[in-house]
Amino acid sequence: MAKTGTTTQGLRAAIERSGYYPALVAEAVEAAVGGEPVASYLVHQETTFDANEVRRHVTVLVLTGTRFIVSHTDEQAADGTSPSPYATTSTESVKLERISSVVLSRVVANPESYTPGTLPREVVLTIGWGAVNRIDLEPAACGDPNCEADHGYTGSSTADDLSLRVSEAGDGPDSVRQTLAFAQALSEATVVPASGR
């Protein structure tokens, strides 16, 4: 379930409609936003299956004029640290200048007959700001198949702070549209004018 919009009241209503500990989630998000006006937001709830347990998770993304705010709330079953079930909520506030990438991957059916404006069946929004980097390494090699020398390693580093997958089948077409709208708003907000470089 994803909801997007552009007002503080709309953000609160979307959190309440998600039905996932709305008082807890709203308090954490509103504290992080503070008095800044909300330019855009996205509320995405997902359910995962862990062995015999069903766990819910909600991600709230908020764009203000100066910051990108991300909030995650997870529920946990009773365990050795707590005799009763509990929830964990975290928020991170990132200055827009720190956002290094906004990647939107679209999956479309029947690409040979694609019509512009057709809704993708799935989108993956990946946002990077340098807090988490993934490094993929593999042994380097040369072109000689008989070479036994150690050529070290080669690889790539990818900013992968947040990745959010939304599908038409699982979340509905409105959620896909809303994710596209938020991605566009965030991408536009991170553009640095030529005079500002």
Side-chain angles (χ1 to χ4, degrees):
M1 170 190 310
K3 302 291 178 201
T4 189
T6 59
T7 67
T8 303
Q9 294 82 10
L11 172 59
R12 177 67 181 235
I15 291 170
E16 288 175 1
R17 277 192 306 273
S18 79
Y20 183 80
Y21 306 122
L24 173 66
V25 173
E27 181 180 52
V29 171
E30 289 169 1
V33 171
E36 270 195 279
V38 173
S40 186
Y41 61 83
L42 178 66
V43 177
H44 181 259
Q45 182 180 320
E46 63 183 312
T47 303
T48 57
F49 301 93
D50 182 17
N52 295 331
E53 295 180 11
V54 176
R55 292 194 180 177
R56 296 179 299 164
H57 173 89
V58 68
T59 301
V60 179
L61 308 179
V62 180
L63 176 63
T64 72
T66 62
R67 297 178 297 147
F68 165 68
I69 297 161
V70 58
S71 174
H72 296 286
T73 303
D74 292 289
E75 62 185 358
Q76 306 292 328
D79 58 22
T81 64
S82 175
S84 60
Y86 61 98
T88 304
T89 300
S90 64
T91 57
E92 183 173 1
S93 178
V94 181
K95 290 181 181 180
L96 288 177
E97 307 87 66
R98 287 197 44 220
I99 300 210
S100 56
S101 66
V102 178
V103 180
L104 184 67
S105 300
R106 302 167 189 242
V107 177
V108 298
N110 304 313
E112 69 282 353
S113 60
Y114 176 78
T115 304
T118 302
L119 197 63
R121 72 176 190 205
E122 154 180 331
V123 292
V124 178
L125 175 60
T126 304
I127 304 166
W129 58 90
V132 177
N133 284 306
R134 184 180 69 236
I135 298 177
D136 295 319
L137 294 175
E138 61 184 44
C142 67
D144 181 358
N146 297 319
C147 180
E148 295 181 10
D150 182 355
H151 295 285
Y153 289 88
T154 185
S156 62
S157 175
T158 308
D160 196 11
D161 296 304
L162 173 76
S163 191
L164 193 67
R165 178 184 173 269
V166 179
S167 72
E168 186 177 19
D171 302 293
D174 285 343
S175 295
V176 174
R177 278 188 204 90
Q178 293 159 355
T179 304
L180 291 169
F182 183 83
Q184 182 174 349
L186 180 60
S187 187
E188 289 172 356
T190 59
V191 173
V192 178
S195 61
R197 291 182 185 157

